[in-house]
Every structure is written in structure tokens, then in C-alpha cells.
Amino acid sequence: LERLVLTGAAHPDDEPAARRVAEVLARARSARTRAERVRGARALFHDLGFASRAGRGALATFARDEAPAGVDRLERLAIARDVRAWDVMEAALDAYETTALRDPSARSRPLDAEVFRLELTELLDAAAQLPGAGRAGAVRIARLADLPGDELDLLVVLDANDGALPRDVRPISLVSEALEGAVARAARDAFVPLSASELAARDLAALAAGAAESAAIVLVTTAEDGGDAPATPSRVFTALARAGIAVEEAPRTAPGPTPLAAGALQTLGEIERRVARERAREGFFLDPARPPSAIVGDLSLGSSRGEAIARVVSAETGSSRERALAVTSIERFAQCAFKGYAHVVLAAREGEEQRELPDAREEGNLGHTALAAAFTATKDEWPRRPRDAGRIVEEGLAAADAALSASAGHAPLRAIVRLRVRESVRAVLTRALAEDEWDFSLAEQAFGSGKPWPPFHVTDGGGDVWLRGSIDRVDRAHARAAVRVIDYKRSKSTVRDASTLLGETALQVPIYALVAGRRLEAPATGAYVPIQPRDLATETKANTRAEERVAELSTREAAGAPSEIERRVLAIAAGARAGRLAPLPAREAECAHCGVSGGCRKPRFAMAPADDGDEKDAP
């Protein structure tokens, strides 16, 4: 650090910047514990200005519609790279805090800087993998580092030239190699970039791992570089050619078959058609009017295949008793027609990976399992008056413990999550004991697809939808003929959102109330209930209003007439079967956590069109 300051002093114009950088690095070196090193890492990148520049530099380049070239093109590529890199870094630091710092003793334990760097590097490598559904699509462009673990029909490796595959140059640095070396020597804790040989080894390992999961592989090398100078094939390409692998020479611009394998795009005309479609799909999000077309939004427009499409979608949307549609799936269609189409018809779903720390989905499943065990084990106690609250809680927790002990994994972090779920079970039992007018009756009551209750038939005489699902909890009124269904949610905010959107995008509880009421022959209502202990005490009034709305939605105005929630289900199904599957979410917030966001081509960010009303005509 002293050398850096002295270097700046020798150049007066650069001295303030050098001194500033030295101060930032000095603060980062002062960290000792895990918690201090995480805070220091965040502060380091913020103080150096990386966070403020990521995605916010040279935004003027987005103000023009023409295809970018030269500096504009490089600026856009740099912004996209910076945004991705900063997102990965932030995600890695968040994951580090969530896992390594969950144990209080780990937060204050001294940690060597090199160990912290290695742990963070491991998380950064893992963060390079995009979510499975985010890669939905027939054709995907990815880095070598993103290939391992994917099963591919065809892997096409472009630019398989010497120096590019594998890379033989160090990453571009903002400072000279001499200054970089001096800073690294002065600040022993500073990050040391990968060498060229390490990068090459990583590239070759990623290529080998990706090739192992691919049915077919094509390496594409060019005979000339961008300046029309001769280019040398990659040593990987040369080695395969020597081993007898077929090499085909393709013309640069002549039409006809491309060197891609059978089943891929075969002609330049086909490629142009695909490019035009992709541009139309991306441009759809930039048009405030968002007109539907045969390419985006309406699969039946201008298509002779409209009837065939309708048959496929209809078969997947509950048109028959044998293939009933899940209630959660009809909710997805309500949230966004394309989201429902991708999830239900295309089956584009993310895989569930077992991690050291359970994610929100796994923790929610654990909570549902433990709650079902606790209520089922104490079923005979609920109708008694007075209730033995102590016995219900004790026996319920014992049953929950037995259910949780069967969950996979014995890592300390998973044990902590099980303890948290156990406290949620205690809180939900206590809340149910306070509601003296209701008695627990059923848990995880399934209907449809061979379950104890048959699928639920929704019809208005013209359209039909068969539904299946599983009701988290069914309560019966203690002194009157009434039924209440309960759907568990992880947090208070999720409950409030669902209660606000009842009958629009939140359909589960009204439908479940309808199913339970018809099956048990009693008026029905229902509510969403949070399972976090801190949230349960504040939801009573909100639940009362929600129960009233659920009763309205699930009540038939006349015998044989569909209820309001049934009409909503039929309308959603009719729109999907007609091919109206535009990626237009009911709320923009739906896109933030959408598992198929890569499939609709919605850009990560887009410049808003200029408002003509802001510009006044000149006199």
C-alpha cells in the first residue's frame, strides 16, 4: 500500500486516486472474522465503484434504435457483462451470509483471507450456472462454464480456433501488469487473477464435461479471422481431425445446407425466419400496445394449425376426467397465460436440487408435512370441550418431530431449519386452539387422479374443466354445519397478496372451499394462513375478510348455475384452449420470480418509450 501511495506521489495528478485506492484496500485488509470479511468484500467493491457502474454506464447508447456498431456495440456488451458479473457477485455474497454465517459462532471465528477467497470463489463458480427453466428454449447460447450438468441433443462450439479454445490470454485488467503485481505484493490479501494456463485448464474441463452429456457435438472453426488473415484451428479441433473425426468445409455465404447436424436449422432461409421470429418476440415487450400475433400471444391467428393447437392445449387443461388439471396450474394461467402454457403444456419446470440449506420450496414442503402429521395425530382431541391444549401441543409436536426426522440430510444447517419448522408447528397448533368454533377434520386431503375424493368437475353446459389438488387442512364448525379450508403460506406478505387477489390470480382457497363444501355437504369458506410464528398473531382481521370473500366466490346464485370462481376457471381455460397465450402477466411483479422467464424472451431491462406528451411542438 505504501508503494502504491509513493507511486501516486511521483505523479501528482494521480496521487489523490492512488491514495483513495490505498485507503480502500487498507480497510479490506483489516477484516479478521467471517462476518467482517463479508462486510469488507461488499464495501471494497462498492468503494471502488463497481456496483454503481454495473449497468448504469453509457446508458445513452440505448436511446437509439439502429443496430449498434463500433463503440456503441462494445458499450452494450460491457454493460451486459457488468450487470451479469455484479449480479453473480451479489448472489455469492448473499449465499455466503445465508450459509456460512447462520451459526453465531462462525460469525465471530477468525478466518484467514485465503480461506475466505477460496470459499467465495467456490460460490462464484456455482453461481455461473443459470436456473434450469431460465434456459428454456430449443436453442441456447451459453458459456462453456454453463454447460456441465446439461443433457443436450446437440452441442455446437463456435470459434474453435487457436487461442480461443482454450483461451491463452489473461483476463483484461484495468491496470498494467507491473502495477497489478505491485499491489498484489503490497496487499497480500488482494485477489490474484487466474493465469492463462488456469483459464485454459478450466475451458478444457468444461468442454469435456459438456461433451459427456451431449448426444452430438459440432466444433466450428474459421479459416480466417476478422481481418481476413489466416486463422489456426484449435488444438482440440486438430486432435479430433487426426483421430479420424469427419471435417466438413462450408462456404462462407453460399446458400444451402449448413454444417450443422441433422435436425438443426438447414438453410439460410430457415435461419432468417427464426431470427425474424426472435426479433418479433423480443420487440413485443417494447410496444405498449402489445398487439397479439401468430408469433406472440395468439397461436391460432393466421395459422392453419389452430385446431391442432387447440386439441393439444385442451388435452392438457383438464378437458377430461382422466387428465384432470392441478389447481395450482390453473392459477399459473391466471397469473400469466404464457407461464401456465410453459409449465403445463411444455412441462418447462425447474429441477429440485438437494442443497445443504433447504430452499424456500423445500422448507415449505417440510412445514406442510410436519403440520399434517401434528394435526392428524391429534384428530380425536379437537372436538372435545374443554380441549386439553397441553396434550394436543405435546402429541402434535411429537408427531411433527417423527415426520421431520425422516427428511434427508443431517447437516447442522438442515437441523436448524427443522427446528424452525417445529416452532411453526407449535405456533399453528396454538392458533388453532384459540379458534374454539372450529375443529380440525382433515389434513392434505387430495382429490382427483385416483385420490380418495374424485376430481372436481367445473361446467356451465358449454365448457368443461376437471380439477385435481390437495387441500392443506379442512376444519368443521363445532356447533353448526359449516366447513373451512386452510391453505398454508410461508409469510404474512404472501398471505396478504393472496387475500387481495382472491378470485383473480389467487384461486386455490375458493376452489378448495367449493370442493370441500360439495363433498361434505355444508356451506364452506376458507383462508390463507402464514406459518411463521411472528406472523400468525396479526392476521386475524385479514383472514375474516378473506373468509367472507371466499364464501362469496364459491357460492352458487342458483341451483345448477356455476359460482363466480367456477366462471373464472372456465374463462381461463377457454382462453388457453383458444391459443391466447401472450406473456402478459396480471401483475408485473409476477416476472420477478417466474421460473420460465427465459422462454418468453422478455429482456432483463428495457428503455421505456419516450412520452410524446413531454415534447411540445415548436411554435
mmCIF file of all heavy atoms in Angstrom, residues 525-546:
data_model
loop_
_atom_site.group_PDB
_atom_site.id
_atom_site.type_symbol
_atom_site.label_atom_id
_atom_site.label_comp_id
_atom_site.label_asym_id
_atom_site.label_seq_id
_atom_site.Cartn_x
_atom_site.Cartn_y
_atom_site.Cartn_z
ATOM 1 N N THR A 525 -66.137 -21.997 3.553
ATOM 2 C CA THR A 525 -65.330 -20.794 3.416
ATOM 3 C C THR A 525 -63.876 -21.220 3.516
ATOM 4 O O THR A 525 -63.559 -22.408 3.504
ATOM 5 C CB THR A 525 -65.682 -19.762 4.502
ATOM 6 O OG1 THR A 525 -64.941 -18.561 4.252
ATOM 7 C CG2 THR A 525 -65.348 -20.282 5.883
ATOM 8 N N GLY A 526 -62.966 -20.274 3.602
ATOM 9 C CA GLY A 526 -61.550 -20.643 3.679
ATOM 10 C C GLY A 526 -60.674 -19.423 3.828
ATOM 11 O O GLY A 526 -61.134 -18.284 3.720
ATOM 12 N N ALA A 527 -59.391 -19.667 4.078
ATOM 13 C CA ALA A 527 -58.444 -18.568 4.278
ATOM 14 C C ALA A 527 -57.026 -19.074 4.074
ATOM 15 O O ALA A 527 -56.746 -20.271 4.165
ATOM 16 C CB ALA A 527 -58.589 -17.979 5.679
ATOM 17 N N TYR A 528 -56.142 -18.123 3.774
ATOM 18 C CA TYR A 528 -54.705 -18.393 3.744
ATOM 19 C C TYR A 528 -54.140 -18.076 5.130
ATOM 20 O O TYR A 528 -54.506 -17.076 5.745
ATOM 21 C CB TYR A 528 -54.014 -17.518 2.702
ATOM 22 C CG TYR A 528 -54.440 -17.806 1.283
ATOM 23 C CD1 TYR A 528 -55.448 -17.063 0.656
ATOM 24 C CD2 TYR A 528 -53.839 -18.830 0.547
ATOM 25 C CE1 TYR A 528 -55.833 -17.317 -0.640
ATOM 26 C CE2 TYR A 528 -54.229 -19.098 -0.758
ATOM 27 C CZ TYR A 528 -55.220 -18.338 -1.343
ATOM 28 O OH TYR A 528 -55.618 -18.597 -2.640
ATOM 29 N N VAL A 529 -53.249 -18.925 5.606
ATOM 30 C CA VAL A 529 -52.689 -18.760 6.948
ATOM 31 C C VAL A 529 -51.170 -18.824 6.873
ATOM 32 O O VAL A 529 -50.625 -19.786 6.318
ATOM 33 C CB VAL A 529 -53.209 -19.852 7.913
ATOM 34 C CG1 VAL A 529 -52.481 -19.801 9.245
ATOM 35 C CG2 VAL A 529 -54.711 -19.685 8.119
ATOM 36 N N PRO A 530 -50.456 -17.831 7.431
ATOM 37 C CA PRO A 530 -48.992 -17.910 7.464
ATOM 38 C C PRO A 530 -48.541 -18.896 8.534
ATOM 39 O O PRO A 530 -49.235 -19.093 9.533
ATOM 40 C CB PRO A 530 -48.570 -16.478 7.808
ATOM 41 C CG PRO A 530 -49.715 -15.955 8.613
ATOM 42 C CD PRO A 530 -50.958 -16.590 8.043
ATOM 43 N N ILE A 531 -47.395 -19.505 8.329
ATOM 44 C CA ILE A 531 -46.921 -20.474 9.325
ATOM 45 C C ILE A 531 -45.741 -19.940 10.138
ATOM 46 O O ILE A 531 -45.280 -20.621 11.052
ATOM 47 C CB ILE A 531 -46.531 -21.813 8.667
ATOM 48 C CG1 ILE A 531 -45.364 -21.631 7.700
ATOM 49 C CG2 ILE A 531 -47.723 -22.424 7.963
ATOM 50 C CD1 ILE A 531 -44.855 -22.944 7.129
ATOM 51 N N GLN A 532 -45.270 -18.738 9.821
ATOM 52 C CA GLN A 532 -44.207 -18.156 10.629
ATOM 53 C C GLN A 532 -44.809 -17.684 11.961
ATOM 54 O O GLN A 532 -45.820 -16.971 11.981
ATOM 55 C CB GLN A 532 -43.565 -16.965 9.915
ATOM 56 C CG GLN A 532 -42.899 -17.321 8.592
ATOM 57 C CD GLN A 532 -41.666 -18.184 8.775
ATOM 58 O OE1 GLN A 532 -41.110 -18.273 9.864
ATOM 59 N NE2 GLN A 532 -41.240 -18.836 7.711
ATOM 60 N N PRO A 533 -44.212 -18.046 13.099
ATOM 61 C CA PRO A 533 -44.786 -17.670 14.405
ATOM 62 C C PRO A 533 -45.017 -16.171 14.553
ATOM 63 O O PRO A 533 -46.038 -15.749 15.092
ATOM 64 C CB PRO A 533 -43.734 -18.178 15.408
ATOM 65 C CG PRO A 533 -43.072 -19.320 14.703
ATOM 66 C CD PRO A 533 -43.023 -18.927 13.255
ATOM 67 N N ARG A 534 -44.085 -15.366 14.040
ATOM 68 C CA ARG A 534 -44.221 -13.915 14.226
ATOM 69 C C ARG A 534 -45.365 -13.321 13.409
ATOM 70 O O ARG A 534 -45.815 -12.208 13.669
ATOM 71 C CB ARG A 534 -42.916 -13.224 13.827
ATOM 72 C CG ARG A 534 -42.572 -13.357 12.362
ATOM 73 C CD ARG A 534 -41.298 -12.608 12.013
ATOM 74 N NE ARG A 534 -40.980 -12.722 10.600
ATOM 75 C CZ ARG A 534 -40.279 -13.711 10.063
ATOM 76 N NH1 ARG A 534 -39.823 -14.678 10.854
ATOM 77 N NH2 ARG A 534 -40.025 -13.742 8.767
ATOM 78 N N ASP A 535 -45.837 -14.053 12.388
ATOM 79 C CA ASP A 535 -46.878 -13.526 11.504
ATOM 80 C C ASP A 535 -48.285 -13.926 11.913
ATOM 81 O O ASP A 535 -49.256 -13.272 11.529
ATOM 82 C CB ASP A 535 -46.639 -14.003 10.066
ATOM 83 C CG ASP A 535 -45.350 -13.457 9.478
ATOM 84 O OD1 ASP A 535 -44.894 -12.407 9.956
ATOM 85 O OD2 ASP A 535 -44.805 -14.093 8.559
ATOM 86 N N LEU A 536 -48.423 -14.995 12.678
ATOM 87 C CA LEU A 536 -49.748 -15.547 12.950
ATOM 88 C C LEU A 536 -50.637 -14.620 13.761
ATOM 89 O O LEU A 536 -51.845 -14.550 13.546
ATOM 90 C CB LEU A 536 -49.608 -16.889 13.678
ATOM 91 C CG LEU A 536 -49.359 -18.098 12.773
ATOM 92 C CD1 LEU A 536 -48.921 -19.294 13.587
ATOM 93 C CD2 LEU A 536 -50.610 -18.425 11.980
ATOM 94 N N ALA A 537 -50.048 -13.885 14.694
ATOM 95 C CA ALA A 537 -50.861 -13.089 15.615
ATOM 96 C C ALA A 537 -51.522 -11.898 14.950
ATOM 97 O O ALA A 537 -52.495 -11.354 15.479
ATOM 98 C CB ALA A 537 -49.988 -12.606 16.778
ATOM 99 N N THR A 538 -51.047 -11.462 13.778
ATOM 100 C CA THR A 538 -51.543 -10.219 13.178
ATOM 101 C C THR A 538 -52.489 -10.442 12.006
ATOM 102 O O THR A 538 -52.886 -9.486 11.355
ATOM 103 C CB THR A 538 -50.354 -9.377 12.699
ATOM 104 O OG1 THR A 538 -49.617 -10.142 11.726
ATOM 105 C CG2 THR A 538 -49.428 -9.036 13.849
ATOM 106 N N GLU A 539 -52.864 -11.692 11.735
ATOM 107 C CA GLU A 539 -53.630 -11.962 10.532
ATOM 108 C C GLU A 539 -55.114 -12.227 10.768
ATOM 109 O O GLU A 539 -55.828 -12.599 9.863
ATOM 110 C CB GLU A 539 -53.013 -13.154 9.794
ATOM 111 C CG GLU A 539 -51.679 -12.846 9.149
ATOM 112 C CD GLU A 539 -51.755 -11.694 8.170
ATOM 113 O OE1 GLU A 539 -52.484 -11.792 7.168
ATOM 114 O OE2 GLU A 539 -51.106 -10.672 8.430
ATOM 115 N N THR A 540 -55.592 -12.062 11.984
ATOM 116 C CA THR A 540 -56.979 -12.432 12.293
ATOM 117 C C THR A 540 -57.984 -11.619 11.491
ATOM 118 O O THR A 540 -58.884 -12.163 10.851
ATOM 119 C CB THR A 540 -57.244 -12.257 13.798
ATOM 120 O OG1 THR A 540 -56.284 -13.027 14.528
ATOM 121 C CG2 THR A 540 -58.641 -12.726 14.140
ATOM 122 N N LYS A 541 -57.862 -10.288 11.489
ATOM 123 C CA LYS A 541 -58.818 -9.452 10.766
ATOM 124 C C LYS A 541 -58.740 -9.694 9.269
ATOM 125 O O LYS A 541 -59.769 -9.775 8.586
ATOM 126 C CB LYS A 541 -58.546 -7.974 11.086
ATOM 127 C CG LYS A 541 -58.863 -7.588 12.522
ATOM 128 C CD LYS A 541 -58.630 -6.104 12.739
ATOM 129 C CE LYS A 541 -58.977 -5.697 14.169
ATOM 130 N NZ LYS A 541 -58.741 -4.256 14.411
ATOM 131 N N ALA A 542 -57.533 -9.801 8.755
ATOM 132 C CA ALA A 542 -57.381 -10.046 7.324
ATOM 133 C C ALA A 542 -58.018 -11.376 6.935
ATOM 134 O O ALA A 542 -58.658 -11.490 5.885
ATOM 135 C CB ALA A 542 -55.895 -10.043 6.951
ATOM 136 N N ASN A 543 -57.878 -12.383 7.798
ATOM 137 C CA ASN A 543 -58.468 -13.685 7.497
ATOM 138 C C ASN A 543 -59.989 -13.623 7.505
ATOM 139 O O ASN A 543 -60.654 -14.288 6.721
ATOM 140 C CB ASN A 543 -57.985 -14.727 8.513
ATOM 141 C CG ASN A 543 -56.646 -15.323 8.107
ATOM 142 O OD1 ASN A 543 -56.168 -15.076 7.017
ATOM 143 N ND2 ASN A 543 -56.048 -16.087 8.999
ATOM 144 N N THR A 544 -60.553 -12.834 8.423
ATOM 145 C CA THR A 544 -62.011 -12.704 8.482
ATOM 146 C C THR A 544 -62.546 -12.132 7.182
ATOM 147 O O THR A 544 -63.527 -12.633 6.620
ATOM 148 C CB THR A 544 -62.414 -11.814 9.662
ATOM 149 O OG1 THR A 544 -61.929 -12.403 10.877
ATOM 150 C CG2 THR A 544 -63.922 -11.663 9.732
ATOM 151 N N ARG A 545 -61.904 -11.095 6.666
ATOM 152 C CA ARG A 545 -62.335 -10.503 5.393
ATOM 153 C C ARG A 545 -62.152 -11.500 4.247
ATOM 154 O O ARG A 545 -62.994 -11.586 3.351
ATOM 155 C CB ARG A 545 -61.546 -9.222 5.120
ATOM 156 C CG ARG A 545 -61.858 -8.091 6.092
ATOM 157 C CD ARG A 545 -61.274 -6.788 5.592
ATOM 158 N NE ARG A 545 -59.814 -6.829 5.534
ATOM 159 C CZ ARG A 545 -59.030 -6.476 6.549
ATOM 160 N NH1 ARG A 545 -59.568 -6.054 7.690
ATOM 161 N NH2 ARG A 545 -57.718 -6.520 6.425
ATOM 162 N N ALA A 546 -61.041 -12.240 4.275
ATOM 163 C CA ALA A 546 -60.787 -13.216 3.219
ATOM 164 C C ALA A 546 -61.825 -14.323 3.240
ATOM 165 O O ALA A 546 -62.297 -14.774 2.181
ATOM 166 C CB ALA A 546 -59.382 -13.801 3.373
#
